[in-house]
Amino acid sequence: MTPKEAIAMAKENGVRVVDIRFMDFIGVWQHFSVPLSELDESSFDDGFGFDGSSIRGWQPIHASDMLVIPDSKTAKIDPFFEIPTLVLIGNIADPITRESYTRDPRNIALKAEAYLLKTGIGDVAFIGPEAEFFIFDSIRFESASNVSYYEVDSIEGPWNTSREEGPNLGYKPRHKEGYFPVPPMDKFQDLRTEMMLTLEKLGIDVECQHHEVATAGQSEIDMRFKPLVQMGDQLAWFKYVLKNVAYRHGHTVTFMPKPLFEDNGSGMHTHISIWKDGKPLFAGDKYAGVSQMALHAIGGILKHCKAICAFSNPTTNSYKRLVPGYEAPVNLAYSSRNRSAAVRIPMYSSSPKAKRLEFRTPDPSCNGYLAFSAILMAVIDGIENKIDPGDPLDKNIYDLPPEELAAIESAPGSLDEALAALKEDHEFLLKGDVFTKDVIDMWIEYKTKNESDAVKLRPHPHEFFLYYDI
């Protein structure tokens, strides 16, 4: 869509307001609004000014002026605002040099796509994330010097079987028994359908929606695969739509990977394939019907997985899900059907067009632009350097003898471990100036100081249970 077409679209839909959006460094969508009269074709070159020092991880106060330049191809009509509003996603630039900002996540994703083209390996990387989430009825939390607690609640929670609900009608999924039961056990069919149809109305292709394994409203809605930057845009819309549909009905959605103890966490299994001239490059005659290129791509993911996790599993809460011996795919191995492996080759279809890799370690707390870009850069590195992924893991990981199990590496066990891995292993990300050194350094600094250290410095409520009477 050209700037002229975007403006025409706004007028055809009675738009009176334009909402300019961009992704911050950490992964939260930001916005401000201007009247339609402020938007003309020159706006798509001139951009709009804002204070970059007020955005986490970006500019210092003495160099705060920045530009957001809207991309006309992203134009959509917001489905929630009372006044008809055109939404445009923008790219960040320096107002003096006009250079793209290195810490703009969308810019990094654009550079990752450009680098793939430059290598000649392929001309498009398709990304398909399966973002899981929880639908809660209530969330309360506090963190202060003398108090720390959280409490989530859900009509589906099995802890509420004895609650006075006037009347309590039961049908509450037990822990780990939420996968696919029909209503009345599944309380959120209509809500998820509204989410799915709202996404479709925005032009976002959806493949399915369903209840997930955990109790208390864990769900999944799958978007059909798209090119990397487009999927980064769509993941931002995805989180926005799900949160707002839930909010409209008195519920709350979270993409925290592990909000419940003793039940499954929320992952974001991420499918990736590379195509060239309209042909899939990961289909072949090797293991599980993949090509030698695909095996090398797997080798790249497995080699760099620990560093990738700094972006694909970027929260301290991420590592409450990634615990060896439990349900999460922490084993740095690949398989055609073993879901405990970090990389799986889905076997649902024999069509070459369906052949792709499923990286199962990521979770939906990530900034999609950064996570997808890091995964692609690891794939490219594996292909360029012909990295051998070793033998597939087709055995039950939980039945392996200790000596075999010890030979299989695991994903990081903490955010600190992931950040340390990124510090040691990031050369593959710097190729083509996709990620820059200032991005890596600021990511490690921000995450360490504001998240990892902040959690480590605070007493945990369970420590009082364990140690108060010592």
Side-chain angles (χ1 to χ4, degrees):
M1 185 179 295
T2 65
K4 185 176 182 179
E5 290 170 337
I7 293 170
M9 171 184 165
K11 292 178 178 177
E12 289 168 7
N13 286 274
V15 163
R16 296 173 59 191
V17 176
V18 180
D19 206 48
I20 309 297
R21 298 186 187 175
F22 60 91
M23 187 67 73
D24 76 4
F25 197 45
I26 308 307
V28 176
W29 230 7
Q30 309 291 328
H31 82 130
F32 61 88
S33 300
V34 299
L36 182 61
S37 59
E38 288 294 303
L39 184 74
D40 56 34
E41 290 186 48
S42 66
S43 303
F44 295 89
D45 293 317
D46 298 340
F48 297 87
F50 71 99
D51 175 10
S53 68
S54 296
I55 304 298
R56 298 177 295 176
W58 278 8
Q59 291 294 89
I61 197 166
H62 65 273
S64 60
D65 288 355
M66 304 193 80
L67 288 176
V68 53
I69 302 173
D71 183 344
S72 61
K73 296 189 295 294
T74 67
K76 296 184 186 296
I77 304 299
D78 189 277
F80 301 106
F81 294 157
E82 180 179 349
I83 304 300
T85 301
L86 179 73
V87 175
L88 294 167
I89 299 174
N91 301 312
I92 309 303
D94 185 282
I96 299 173
T97 66
R98 307 291 296 186
E99 290 181 355
S100 297
Y101 187 47
T102 57
R103 295 182 205 164
D104 172 13
R106 193 169 191 265
N107 176 42
I108 291 171
L110 286 165
K111 289 191 292 183
E113 284 191 329
Y115 183 66
L116 174 63
L117 273 172
K118 184 179 178 181
T119 64
I121 291 171
D123 50 35
V124 61
F126 285 116
I127 303 290
E130 301 175 15
E132 297 170 343
F133 56 97
F134 279 87
I135 303 168
F136 292 133
D137 298 329
S138 173
I139 167 68
R140 298 168 61 229
F141 53 87
E142 185 172 354
S143 182
S145 61
N146 69 319
V147 61
S148 179
Y149 79 93
Y150 71 91
E151 182 179 4
V152 298
D153 205 3
S154 170
I155 186 67
E156 281 194 355
W159 54 83
N160 283 325
T161 53
S162 64
R163 184 174 67 177
E164 287 289 342
E165 292 181 349
N168 191 320
L169 300 177
Y171 300 114
K172 302 180 190 299
R174 290 174 285 272
H175 289 294
K176 299 182 182 294
E177 294 185 20
Y179 195 63
F180 283 15
V182 298
M185 190 69 85
D186 177 1
K187 305 289 193 296
F188 299 110
Q189 169 67 16
D190 289 340
L191 189 68
R192 291 194 308 271
T193 293
E194 183 176 337
M195 293 170 174
M196 178 175 69
L197 295 179
T198 303
L199 289 167
E200 286 196 322
K201 187 177 178 182
L202 287 163
I204 296 172
D205 297 326
V206 178
E207 294 185 331
C208 71
Q209 62 93 342
H210 59 85
H211 203 291
E212 255 299 339
V213 173
T215 185
Q218 192 188 34
S219 299
E220 179 176 315
I221 299 175
D222 295 338
M223 292 179 283
R224 184 169 176 78
F225 65 87
K226 297 293 178 185
L228 191 152
V229 173
Q230 185 178 348
M231 184 53 75
D233 293 342
Q234 287 192 179
L235 185 60
W237 272 110
F238 180 88
K239 291 184 177 183
Y240 175 77
V241 166
L242 270 56
K243 290 175 181 178
N244 278 281
V245 169
Y247 188 79
R248 187 158 63 186
H249 291 277
H251 301 288
T252 178
V253 158
T254 183
F255 292 94
M256 277 183 68
K258 192 72 173 180
L260 293 182
F261 173 55
E262 292 185 318
D263 214 335
N264 281 35
S266 291
M268 190 180 75
H269 306 152
T270 301
H271 299 253
I272 182 169
S273 62
I274 294 178
W275 292 48
K276 188 173 185 178
D277 298 327
K279 296 179 181 179
L281 302 183
F282 282 1
D285 58 0
K286 303 298 182 182
Y287 173 80
V290 301
S291 64
Q292 185 63 58
M293 178 185 286
L295 290 176
H296 289 150
I298 293 171
I301 292 175
L302 296 180
K303 177 181 178 179
H304 300 298
C305 180
K306 294 181 180 182
I308 296 170
C309 283
F311 293 110
S312 64
N313 304 79
T315 69
T316 58
N317 186 252
S318 297
Y319 300 90
K320 301 295 192 294
R321 168 181 170 260
L322 294 182
V323 180
Y326 293 87
E327 84 277 359
V330 299
N331 302 294
L332 300 190
Y334 70 101
S335 175
S336 61
R337 303 182 75 176
N338 190 338
R339 291 171 184 261
S340 68
V343 178
R344 190 173 75 96
I345 302 168
M347 302 300 291
Y348 297 125
S349 172
S350 59
S351 169
K353 293 183 177 181
K355 195 58 65 178
R356 74 271 189 195
L357 310 179
E358 179 190 9
F359 184 28
R360 296 176 59 80
T361 308
D363 69 56
S365 68
C366 70
N367 182 332
Y369 297 115
L370 298 182
F372 302 153
S373 298
I375 295 168
L376 176 59
M377 294 302 287
V379 163
I380 292 172
D381 190 62
I383 293 169
E384 289 186 323
N385 291 293
K386 296 181 169 54
I387 298 174
D388 183 1
D391 295 327
L393 178 68
D394 287 332
K395 300 176 183 178
N396 184 342
I397 189 75
Y398 305 114
D399 291 339
L400 290 180
E403 59 273 15
E404 278 192 59
L405 189 61
I408 301 172
E409 284 194 79
S410 289
S414 69
L415 180 58
D416 275 343
E417 285 184 41
L419 294 173
L422 178 63
K423 187 174 183 179
E424 294 300 316
D425 176 27
H426 59 257
E427 290 300 320
F428 72 102
L429 297 171
L430 301 180
K431 292 179 180 178
D433 204 36
V434 174
F435 287 78
T436 53
K437 195 66 167 61
D438 74 293
V439 168
I440 303 296
D441 291 345
M442 179 53 72
W443 187 262
I444 293 172
E445 178 185 335
Y446 182 92
K447 285 285 177 176
T448 300
K449 179 180 178 181
N450 294 281
E451 298 181 26
S452 181
D453 285 356
V455 169
K456 284 190 292 185
L457 286 166
R458 285 166 167 79
H460 190 286
H462 196 62
E463 291 175 324
F464 286 83
F465 175 83
L466 292 173
Y467 309 127
Y468 187 76
D469 58 343
I470 288 178

